Amino acid sequence: MYPEHTPHVPAQRAVEVHQPTPYPPAVPVSAPVVPVQPGAVPAVASIVLPDGRVVTGYAIEPARPEPVTAKPAVSRTAVNVALGGAGFLAVCGGLVLLTSFIAALTAFITQLITLAAVIFGGWIAVQIFSAGGHPGGGTTVNIRKAVIKRNHFRS
C-alpha cells in the first residue's frame, strides 16, 4: 500500500484506564410498623438482603394464562388458499401440456401432408416421364373406341 522508500510510523493512541468507583454501603432503614387490619390490604412480604437492607413489598401472584380455546391446527382460510393455489397451478400446467400437444399434433399432420405430397408428386412424375411402351412418350386416346363404346351402350 505504501511505497517501500517511504517510512511508515504506526499511529499512536492515548490509552485511558477507568477504575470503577465503589458506592458507599447503604444504611439499613427500618420500615415503620403500621398496624393493618387483616383482609383489607394484601399481605406484605419483607426480604432481608445480605448487606442488611430490608426490601418490603406486596406479594404478586404469578399471572395465570387464560385458557386457550381449541383451535384447528390449520385455519380454513389457509387451507382454501393453498388448495386454490394448487388448483391454479394444475390448470396452468394442463394448459401448457395441451398447448405443447396441439403444437406436436400440428407438426405431425404437416409432416404427413408433406409426405403425401412427395409420394403423390413422385407418382405423377413417374407417369409423365416414363415411356410406358408408347414411342411418343405421351398419353394416346383412341377416340373411335370411345365413340363406339358410347354408341354401343346407348343402343
Side-chain angles (χ1 to χ4, degrees), residues 98-127:
L98 179 65
T99 305
S100 61
F101 174 74
I102 291 172
L105 186 63
T106 304
F108 178 68
I109 291 172
T110 304
Q111 289 177 354
L112 285 179
I113 291 172
T114 305
L115 179 65
V118 167
I119 291 174
F120 185 69
W123 181 76
I124 291 175
V126 166
Q127 294 299 319

Side-chain angles (χ1 to χ4, degrees), residues 27-33 54:
V27 178
V29 178
S30 60
V33 178
V54 177

Side-chain angles (χ1 to χ4, degrees), residues 90-154:
V91 168
C92 289
L95 288 176
V96 167
L97 289 176
L98 179 65
T99 305
S100 61
F101 174 74
I102 291 172
L105 186 63
T106 304
F108 178 68
I109 291 172
T110 304
Q111 289 177 354
L112 285 179
I113 291 172
T114 305
L115 179 65
V118 167
I119 291 174
F120 185 69
W123 181 76
I124 291 175
V126 166
Q127 294 299 319
I128 291 174
F129 295 118
S130 69
H134 299 291
T139 304
T140 305
V141 176
N142 192 345
I143 296 176
R144 289 189 180 203
K145 286 184 180 178
V147 171
I148 293 172
K149 283 184 181 178
R150 188 182 60 154
N151 291 335
H152 176 73
F153 287 116
R154 282 193 174 192

Side-chain angles (χ1 to χ4, degrees), residues 35-58:
V36 179
Q37 293 181 1
V41 178
V44 177
S46 297
I47 299 174
V48 179
L49 298 176
D51 61 354
R53 293 182 291 167
V54 177
V55 178
T56 304
Y58 294 106

Side-chain angles (χ1 to χ4, degrees), residues 76-99:
R76 292 178 189 234
T77 304
V79 170
N80 290 339
V81 168
L83 289 176
F88 177 75
L89 289 177
V91 168
C92 289
L95 288 176
V96 167
L97 289 176
L98 179 65
T99 305

